[in-house]
Amino acid sequence: MTDQFYTSAITAFDAATLEYLLRQEDALLSGHFRLSSGLHSDTYVQCARFLRRPDLAAPAAAALAVQLEAAGLKPDVVVGPAMGGVVIGYELARQLRVPGIFTERDADGKMILRRGFTIEPGEKVVIAEDVVTTGKSTLEVAKLLREMGAEVLAVASLIDRTGGKGGLDFPHFALLQVQAATFAPENCPMCAAGVPVVKPGSRPEKAF
């Protein structure tokens, strides 16, 4: 962590800055990966490695807050789905000077609010995510919030992996667009080329 790029005084937090820092933190990897879905991909994202650094999470959330404010959006609360949205949701809420809470799954896998967290009818909400990949979990949270009478203004994420196919019916603000190719194992060109596949989390070293 001696790189002079790392500083709490980062001021120009654009897509290039985020991509650089994600790669430095091994949070954005290029290689040949087997995903939890069973599909193979040339890209792997693990934002927790980036968000463990408060000096990086803070300016990233500040940049998202600037986007929301520029759009005239003023939430009453930020909701970050557990687990990936907890840290960025808290930091975004701090930047916007509103409460930050999170949803989590119950024993049946249903997204709920626990721990005394509540949403009042009519409250305006921004959903915070580290990565939006398919939009499925984001829409699940939005459905929960709307059932409680909230108005979902937008989702804000560090990374958008949807390629415009998230199916969201509200705005999506993101700092970085990531295009990742995915393949069924039997149709994977990297497998055909003999490139070893790595399961994220078991990787002993960088896979660039």
Side-chain angles (χ1 to χ4, degrees), residues 140-171:
E140 186 178 356
V141 173
K143 181 176 182 291
L144 169 67
L145 298 173
R146 286 167 168 168
E147 288 174 349
M148 302 177 77
E151 177 184 353
V152 177
L153 299 179
V155 60
S157 65
L158 295 177
I159 296 175
D160 177 7
R161 284 190 57 178
T162 66
K165 300 177 181 179
L168 304 178
D169 59 352
F170 42 84

PDB file of all heavy atoms in Angstrom, residues 140-171:
ATOM      1  N   GLU A 140     -35.738  -7.599  -6.620  1.00  0.00           N
ATOM      2  CA  GLU A 140     -36.343  -8.240  -5.460  1.00  0.00           C
ATOM      3  C   GLU A 140     -36.415  -7.263  -4.286  1.00  0.00           C
ATOM      4  O   GLU A 140     -37.430  -7.196  -3.578  1.00  0.00           O
ATOM      5  CB  GLU A 140     -35.533  -9.472  -5.071  1.00  0.00           C
ATOM      6  CG  GLU A 140     -36.151 -10.285  -3.959  1.00  0.00           C
ATOM      7  CD  GLU A 140     -35.347 -11.526  -3.637  1.00  0.00           C
ATOM      8  OE1 GLU A 140     -34.348 -11.797  -4.332  1.00  0.00           O
ATOM      9  OE2 GLU A 140     -35.716 -12.221  -2.669  1.00  0.00           O
ATOM     10  N   VAL A 141     -35.343  -6.508  -4.085  1.00  0.00           N
ATOM     11  CA  VAL A 141     -35.339  -5.507  -3.018  1.00  0.00           C
ATOM     12  C   VAL A 141     -36.348  -4.407  -3.324  1.00  0.00           C
ATOM     13  O   VAL A 141     -37.088  -3.956  -2.442  1.00  0.00           O
ATOM     14  CB  VAL A 141     -33.928  -4.915  -2.838  1.00  0.00           C
ATOM     15  CG1 VAL A 141     -33.951  -3.759  -1.841  1.00  0.00           C
ATOM     16  CG2 VAL A 141     -32.960  -5.988  -2.371  1.00  0.00           C
ATOM     17  N   ALA A 142     -36.380  -3.959  -4.572  1.00  0.00           N
ATOM     18  CA  ALA A 142     -37.325  -2.915  -4.958  1.00  0.00           C
ATOM     19  C   ALA A 142     -38.765  -3.360  -4.705  1.00  0.00           C
ATOM     20  O   ALA A 142     -39.598  -2.575  -4.229  1.00  0.00           O
ATOM     21  CB  ALA A 142     -37.137  -2.561  -6.428  1.00  0.00           C
ATOM     22  N   LYS A 143     -39.074  -4.605  -5.013  1.00  0.00           N
ATOM     23  CA  LYS A 143     -40.417  -5.137  -4.782  1.00  0.00           C
ATOM     24  C   LYS A 143     -40.766  -5.085  -3.297  1.00  0.00           C
ATOM     25  O   LYS A 143     -41.865  -4.654  -2.914  1.00  0.00           O
ATOM     26  CB  LYS A 143     -40.507  -6.567  -5.309  1.00  0.00           C
ATOM     27  CG  LYS A 143     -41.883  -7.218  -5.138  1.00  0.00           C
ATOM     28  CD  LYS A 143     -41.882  -8.611  -5.779  1.00  0.00           C
ATOM     29  CE  LYS A 143     -43.259  -9.263  -5.679  1.00  0.00           C
ATOM     30  NZ  LYS A 143     -43.603  -9.612  -4.292  1.00  0.00           N
ATOM     31  N   LEU A 144     -39.826  -5.500  -2.447  1.00  0.00           N
ATOM     32  CA  LEU A 144     -40.045  -5.457  -1.000  1.00  0.00           C
ATOM     33  C   LEU A 144     -40.323  -4.035  -0.535  1.00  0.00           C
ATOM     34  O   LEU A 144     -41.268  -3.776   0.226  1.00  0.00           O
ATOM     35  CB  LEU A 144     -38.818  -6.015  -0.277  1.00  0.00           C
ATOM     36  CG  LEU A 144     -38.761  -5.795   1.244  1.00  0.00           C
ATOM     37  CD1 LEU A 144     -39.864  -6.584   1.934  1.00  0.00           C
ATOM     38  CD2 LEU A 144     -37.390  -6.184   1.787  1.00  0.00           C
ATOM     39  N   LEU A 145     -39.495  -3.102  -0.988  1.00  0.00           N
ATOM     40  CA  LEU A 145     -39.639  -1.715  -0.557  1.00  0.00           C
ATOM     41  C   LEU A 145     -40.961  -1.120  -1.033  1.00  0.00           C
ATOM     42  O   LEU A 145     -41.633  -0.388  -0.294  1.00  0.00           O
ATOM     43  CB  LEU A 145     -38.463  -0.894  -1.077  1.00  0.00           C
ATOM     44  CG  LEU A 145     -37.077  -1.313  -0.565  1.00  0.00           C
ATOM     45  CD1 LEU A 145     -35.986  -0.531  -1.282  1.00  0.00           C
ATOM     46  CD2 LEU A 145     -36.983  -1.106   0.941  1.00  0.00           C
ATOM     47  N   ARG A 146     -41.340  -1.429  -2.243  1.00  0.00           N
ATOM     48  CA  ARG A 146     -42.599  -0.898  -2.777  1.00  0.00           C
ATOM     49  C   ARG A 146     -43.794  -1.474  -2.044  1.00  0.00           C
ATOM     50  O   ARG A 146     -44.790  -0.783  -1.829  1.00  0.00           O
ATOM     51  CB  ARG A 146     -42.676  -1.190  -4.277  1.00  0.00           C
ATOM     52  CG  ARG A 146     -41.759  -0.291  -5.115  1.00  0.00           C
ATOM     53  CD  ARG A 146     -41.615  -0.782  -6.536  1.00  0.00           C
ATOM     54  NE  ARG A 146     -40.966   0.221  -7.398  1.00  0.00           N
ATOM     55  CZ  ARG A 146     -40.519  -0.034  -8.616  1.00  0.00           C
ATOM     56  NH1 ARG A 146     -40.631  -1.256  -9.120  1.00  0.00           N
ATOM     57  NH2 ARG A 146     -39.947   0.922  -9.325  1.00  0.00           N
ATOM     58  N   GLU A 147     -43.690  -2.734  -1.651  1.00  0.00           N
ATOM     59  CA  GLU A 147     -44.777  -3.341  -0.882  1.00  0.00           C
ATOM     60  C   GLU A 147     -44.945  -2.654   0.470  1.00  0.00           C
ATOM     61  O   GLU A 147     -46.036  -2.681   1.054  1.00  0.00           O
ATOM     62  CB  GLU A 147     -44.510  -4.833  -0.688  1.00  0.00           C
ATOM     63  CG  GLU A 147     -44.695  -5.651  -1.964  1.00  0.00           C
ATOM     64  CD  GLU A 147     -44.278  -7.093  -1.793  1.00  0.00           C
ATOM     65  OE1 GLU A 147     -43.642  -7.423  -0.758  1.00  0.00           O
ATOM     66  OE2 GLU A 147     -44.578  -7.896  -2.695  1.00  0.00           O
ATOM     67  N   MET A 148     -43.870  -2.030   0.956  1.00  0.00           N
ATOM     68  CA  MET A 148     -43.917  -1.301   2.223  1.00  0.00           C
ATOM     69  C   MET A 148     -44.314   0.158   2.020  1.00  0.00           C
ATOM     70  O   MET A 148     -44.338   0.928   2.970  1.00  0.00           O
ATOM     71  CB  MET A 148     -42.561  -1.395   2.923  1.00  0.00           C
ATOM     72  CG  MET A 148     -42.123  -2.824   3.204  1.00  0.00           C
ATOM     73  SD  MET A 148     -40.489  -2.940   3.961  1.00  0.00           S
ATOM     74  CE  MET A 148     -40.892  -2.469   5.653  1.00  0.00           C
ATOM     75  N   GLY A 149     -44.579   0.534   0.766  1.00  0.00           N
ATOM     76  CA  GLY A 149     -45.045   1.881   0.469  1.00  0.00           C
ATOM     77  C   GLY A 149     -43.966   2.868   0.096  1.00  0.00           C
ATOM     78  O   GLY A 149     -44.229   4.063  -0.032  1.00  0.00           O
ATOM     79  N   ALA A 150     -42.732   2.393  -0.107  1.00  0.00           N
ATOM     80  CA  ALA A 150     -41.629   3.292  -0.458  1.00  0.00           C
ATOM     81  C   ALA A 150     -41.643   3.618  -1.948  1.00  0.00           C
ATOM     82  O   ALA A 150     -42.192   2.869  -2.766  1.00  0.00           O
ATOM     83  CB  ALA A 150     -40.296   2.668  -0.085  1.00  0.00           C
ATOM     84  N   GLU A 151     -41.010   4.733  -2.272  1.00  0.00           N
ATOM     85  CA  GLU A 151     -40.780   5.112  -3.669  1.00  0.00           C
ATOM     86  C   GLU A 151     -39.310   4.848  -3.982  1.00  0.00           C
ATOM     87  O   GLU A 151     -38.424   5.455  -3.389  1.00  0.00           O
ATOM     88  CB  GLU A 151     -41.103   6.580  -3.899  1.00  0.00           C
ATOM     89  CG  GLU A 151     -40.818   7.036  -5.326  1.00  0.00           C
ATOM     90  CD  GLU A 151     -41.039   8.519  -5.530  1.00  0.00           C
ATOM     91  OE1 GLU A 151     -41.545   9.185  -4.600  1.00  0.00           O
ATOM     92  OE2 GLU A 151     -40.683   9.033  -6.623  1.00  0.00           O
ATOM     93  N   VAL A 152     -39.053   3.930  -4.911  1.00  0.00           N
ATOM     94  CA  VAL A 152     -37.679   3.605  -5.288  1.00  0.00           C
ATOM     95  C   VAL A 152     -37.220   4.594  -6.352  1.00  0.00           C
ATOM     96  O   VAL A 152     -37.738   4.607  -7.468  1.00  0.00           O
ATOM     97  CB  VAL A 152     -37.563   2.158  -5.801  1.00  0.00           C
ATOM     98  CG1 VAL A 152     -36.137   1.865  -6.246  1.00  0.00           C
ATOM     99  CG2 VAL A 152     -37.997   1.175  -4.717  1.00  0.00           C
ATOM    100  N   LEU A 153     -36.265   5.430  -5.987  1.00  0.00           N
ATOM    101  CA  LEU A 153     -35.778   6.460  -6.904  1.00  0.00           C
ATOM    102  C   LEU A 153     -34.793   5.908  -7.926  1.00  0.00           C
ATOM    103  O   LEU A 153     -34.811   6.299  -9.094  1.00  0.00           O
ATOM    104  CB  LEU A 153     -35.096   7.584  -6.118  1.00  0.00           C
ATOM    105  CG  LEU A 153     -35.943   8.354  -5.114  1.00  0.00           C
ATOM    106  CD1 LEU A 153     -35.094   9.406  -4.423  1.00  0.00           C
ATOM    107  CD2 LEU A 153     -37.148   8.994  -5.800  1.00  0.00           C
ATOM    108  N   ALA A 154     -33.891   5.012  -7.479  1.00  0.00           N
ATOM    109  CA  ALA A 154     -32.814   4.545  -8.338  1.00  0.00           C
ATOM    110  C   ALA A 154     -32.027   3.467  -7.619  1.00  0.00           C
ATOM    111  O   ALA A 154     -32.212   3.228  -6.421  1.00  0.00           O
ATOM    112  CB  ALA A 154     -31.880   5.705  -8.692  1.00  0.00           C
ATOM    113  N   VAL A 155     -31.155   2.818  -8.358  1.00  0.00           N
ATOM    114  CA  VAL A 155     -30.114   1.985  -7.772  1.00  0.00           C
ATOM    115  C   VAL A 155     -28.775   2.626  -8.125  1.00  0.00           C
ATOM    116  O   VAL A 155     -28.597   3.156  -9.234  1.00  0.00           O
ATOM    117  CB  VAL A 155     -30.170   0.527  -8.284  1.00  0.00           C
ATOM    118  CG1 VAL A 155     -30.003   0.433  -9.792  1.00  0.00           C
ATOM    119  CG2 VAL A 155     -29.102  -0.325  -7.591  1.00  0.00           C
ATOM    120  N   ALA A 156     -27.854   2.615  -7.179  1.00  0.00           N
ATOM    121  CA  ALA A 156     -26.509   3.151  -7.386  1.00  0.00           C
ATOM    122  C   ALA A 156     -25.515   2.046  -7.082  1.00  0.00           C
ATOM    123  O   ALA A 156     -25.577   1.422  -6.021  1.00  0.00           O
ATOM    124  CB  ALA A 156     -26.267   4.357  -6.484  1.00  0.00           C
ATOM    125  N   SER A 157     -24.607   1.794  -8.017  1.00  0.00           N
ATOM    126  CA  SER A 157     -23.653   0.710  -7.826  1.00  0.00           C
ATOM    127  C   SER A 157     -22.263   1.120  -8.288  1.00  0.00           C
ATOM    128  O   SER A 157     -22.117   2.012  -9.135  1.00  0.00           O
ATOM    129  CB  SER A 157     -24.086  -0.543  -8.591  1.00  0.00           C
ATOM    130  OG  SER A 157     -24.075  -0.327  -9.987  1.00  0.00           O
ATOM    131  N   LEU A 158     -21.268   0.463  -7.738  1.00  0.00           N
ATOM    132  CA  LEU A 158     -19.918   0.683  -8.225  1.00  0.00           C
ATOM    133  C   LEU A 158     -19.801   0.215  -9.666  1.00  0.00           C
ATOM    134  O   LEU A 158     -19.258   0.914 -10.519  1.00  0.00           O
ATOM    135  CB  LEU A 158     -18.901  -0.070  -7.364  1.00  0.00           C
ATOM    136  CG  LEU A 158     -18.744   0.350  -5.907  1.00  0.00           C
ATOM    137  CD1 LEU A 158     -17.743  -0.560  -5.218  1.00  0.00           C
ATOM    138  CD2 LEU A 158     -18.304   1.809  -5.808  1.00  0.00           C
ATOM    139  N   ILE A 159     -20.316  -0.982  -9.930  1.00  0.00           N
ATOM    140  CA  ILE A 159     -20.159  -1.608 -11.238  1.00  0.00           C
ATOM    141  C   ILE A 159     -21.510  -2.032 -11.793  1.00  0.00           C
ATOM    142  O   ILE A 159     -22.355  -2.557 -11.075  1.00  0.00           O
ATOM    143  CB  ILE A 159     -19.235  -2.840 -11.149  1.00  0.00           C
ATOM    144  CG1 ILE A 159     -17.819  -2.409 -10.726  1.00  0.00           C
ATOM    145  CG2 ILE A 159     -19.185  -3.612 -12.461  1.00  0.00           C
ATOM    146  CD1 ILE A 159     -16.877  -3.562 -10.492  1.00  0.00           C
ATOM    147  N   ASP A 160     -21.682  -1.803 -13.092  1.00  0.00           N
ATOM    148  CA  ASP A 160     -22.858  -2.268 -13.828  1.00  0.00           C
ATOM    149  C   ASP A 160     -22.394  -3.344 -14.806  1.00  0.00           C
ATOM    150  O   ASP A 160     -21.638  -3.058 -15.728  1.00  0.00           O
ATOM    151  CB  ASP A 160     -23.509  -1.109 -14.580  1.00  0.00           C
ATOM    152  CG  ASP A 160     -24.697  -1.546 -15.435  1.00  0.00           C
ATOM    153  OD1 ASP A 160     -25.101  -2.728 -15.349  1.00  0.00           O
ATOM    154  OD2 ASP A 160     -25.209  -0.715 -16.201  1.00  0.00           O
ATOM    155  N   ARG A 161     -22.827  -4.582 -14.564  1.00  0.00           N
ATOM    156  CA  ARG A 161     -22.470  -5.686 -15.458  1.00  0.00           C
ATOM    157  C   ARG A 161     -23.655  -6.135 -16.299  1.00  0.00           C
ATOM    158  O   ARG A 161     -23.594  -7.166 -16.963  1.00  0.00           O
ATOM    159  CB  ARG A 161     -21.943  -6.878 -14.661  1.00  0.00           C
ATOM    160  CG  ARG A 161     -20.539  -6.718 -14.145  1.00  0.00           C
ATOM    161  CD  ARG A 161     -20.007  -8.028 -13.576  1.00  0.00           C
ATOM    162  NE  ARG A 161     -20.037  -9.115 -14.554  1.00  0.00           N
ATOM    163  CZ  ARG A 161     -19.589 -10.345 -14.317  1.00  0.00           C
ATOM    164  NH1 ARG A 161     -19.100 -10.652 -13.137  1.00  0.00           N
ATOM    165  NH2 ARG A 161     -19.648 -11.280 -15.250  1.00  0.00           N
ATOM    166  N   THR A 162     -24.751  -5.372 -16.279  1.00  0.00           N
ATOM    167  CA  THR A 162     -25.966  -5.823 -16.949  1.00  0.00           C
ATOM    168  C   THR A 162     -25.890  -5.691 -18.466  1.00  0.00           C
ATOM    169  O   THR A 162     -26.643  -6.357 -19.168  1.00  0.00           O
ATOM    170  CB  THR A 162     -27.190  -5.032 -16.467  1.00  0.00           C
ATOM    171  OG1 THR A 162     -27.066  -3.654 -16.887  1.00  0.00           O
ATOM    172  CG2 THR A 162     -27.323  -5.086 -14.952  1.00  0.00           C
ATOM    173  N   GLY A 163     -25.036  -4.808 -18.950  1.00  0.00           N
ATOM    174  CA  GLY A 163     -25.007  -4.564 -20.391  1.00  0.00           C
ATOM    175  C   GLY A 163     -26.322  -4.002 -20.896  1.00  0.00           C
ATOM    176  O   GLY A 163     -26.688  -4.194 -22.056  1.00  0.00           O
ATOM    177  N   GLY A 164     -27.032  -3.288 -20.010  1.00  0.00           N
ATOM    178  CA  GLY A 164     -28.323  -2.719 -20.380  1.00  0.00           C
ATOM    179  C   GLY A 164     -29.458  -3.720 -20.379  1.00  0.00           C
ATOM    180  O   GLY A 164     -30.558  -3.428 -20.857  1.00  0.00           O
ATOM    181  N   LYS A 165     -29.222  -4.914 -19.795  1.00  0.00           N
ATOM    182  CA  LYS A 165     -30.236  -5.977 -19.818  1.00  0.00           C
ATOM    183  C   LYS A 165     -30.710  -6.332 -18.413  1.00  0.00           C
ATOM    184  O   LYS A 165     -31.141  -7.459 -18.166  1.00  0.00           O
ATOM    185  CB  LYS A 165     -29.675  -7.214 -20.505  1.00  0.00           C
ATOM    186  CG  LYS A 165     -29.262  -6.962 -21.953  1.00  0.00           C
ATOM    187  CD  LYS A 165     -28.641  -8.202 -22.577  1.00  0.00           C
ATOM    188  CE  LYS A 165     -28.197  -7.941 -24.013  1.00  0.00           C
ATOM    189  NZ  LYS A 165     -27.565  -9.141 -24.626  1.00  0.00           N
ATOM    190  N   GLY A 166     -30.645  -5.365 -17.492  1.00  0.00           N
ATOM    191  CA  GLY A 166     -31.044  -5.641 -16.124  1.00  0.00           C
ATOM    192  C   GLY A 166     -32.539  -5.635 -15.892  1.00  0.00           C
ATOM    193  O   GLY A 166     -33.011  -6.105 -14.859  1.00  0.00           O
ATOM    194  N   GLY A 167     -33.305  -5.098 -16.830  1.00  0.00           N
ATOM    195  CA  GLY A 167     -34.759  -5.088 -16.699  1.00  0.00           C
ATOM    196  C   GLY A 167     -35.265  -4.181 -15.594  1.00  0.00           C
ATOM    197  O   GLY A 167     -36.379  -4.364 -15.104  1.00  0.00           O
ATOM    198  N   LEU A 168     -34.474  -3.191 -15.200  1.00  0.00           N
ATOM    199  CA  LEU A 168     -34.884  -2.291 -14.120  1.00  0.00           C
ATOM    200  C   LEU A 168     -35.877  -1.259 -14.644  1.00  0.00           C
ATOM    201  O   LEU A 168     -35.743  -0.770 -15.775  1.00  0.00           O
ATOM    202  CB  LEU A 168     -33.661  -1.572 -13.546  1.00  0.00           C
ATOM    203  CG  LEU A 168     -32.530  -2.471 -13.033  1.00  0.00           C
ATOM    204  CD1 LEU A 168     -31.369  -1.614 -12.530  1.00  0.00           C
ATOM    205  CD2 LEU A 168     -33.029  -3.394 -11.938  1.00  0.00           C
ATOM    206  N   ASP A 169     -36.856  -0.905 -13.809  1.00  0.00           N
ATOM    207  CA  ASP A 169     -37.830   0.108 -14.197  1.00  0.00           C
ATOM    208  C   ASP A 169     -37.578   1.414 -13.444  1.00  0.00           C
ATOM    209  O   ASP A 169     -38.492   2.208 -13.242  1.00  0.00           O
ATOM    210  CB  ASP A 169     -39.258  -0.387 -13.982  1.00  0.00           C
ATOM    211  CG  ASP A 169     -39.544  -0.770 -12.539  1.00  0.00           C
ATOM    212  OD1 ASP A 169     -38.595  -0.788 -11.728  1.00  0.00           O
ATOM    213  OD2 ASP A 169     -40.722  -1.057 -12.220  1.00  0.00           O
ATOM    214  N   PHE A 170     -36.345   1.627 -13.040  1.00  0.00           N
ATOM    215  CA  PHE A 170     -35.918   2.870 -12.391  1.00  0.00           C
ATOM    216  C   PHE A 170     -34.467   3.114 -12.798  1.00  0.00           C
ATOM    217  O   PHE A 170     -33.784   2.192 -13.279  1.00  0.00           O
ATOM    218  CB  PHE A 170     -36.064   2.776 -10.862  1.00  0.00           C
ATOM    219  CG  PHE A 170     -35.621   1.468 -10.276  1.00  0.00           C
ATOM    220  CD1 PHE A 170     -34.282   1.219  -9.983  1.00  0.00           C
ATOM    221  CD2 PHE A 170     -36.552   0.473 -10.011  1.00  0.00           C
ATOM    222  CE1 PHE A 170     -33.883   0.014  -9.439  1.00  0.00           C
ATOM    223  CE2 PHE A 170     -36.156  -0.737  -9.469  1.00  0.00           C
ATOM    224  CZ  PHE A 170     -34.814  -0.968  -9.180  1.00  0.00           C
ATOM    225  N   PRO A 171     -33.961   4.337 -12.646  1.00  0.00           N
ATOM    226  CA  PRO A 171     -32.611   4.664 -13.115  1.00  0.00           C
ATOM    227  C   PRO A 171     -31.526   3.850 -12.410  1.00  0.00           C
ATOM    228  O   PRO A 171     -31.669   3.469 -11.248  1.00  0.00           O
ATOM    229  CB  PRO A 171     -32.484   6.152 -12.794  1.00  0.00           C
ATOM    230  CG  PRO A 171     -33.885   6.653 -12.706  1.00  0.00           C
ATOM    231  CD  PRO A 171     -34.683   5.529 -12.149  1.00  0.00           C
TER     232      PRO A 171
END
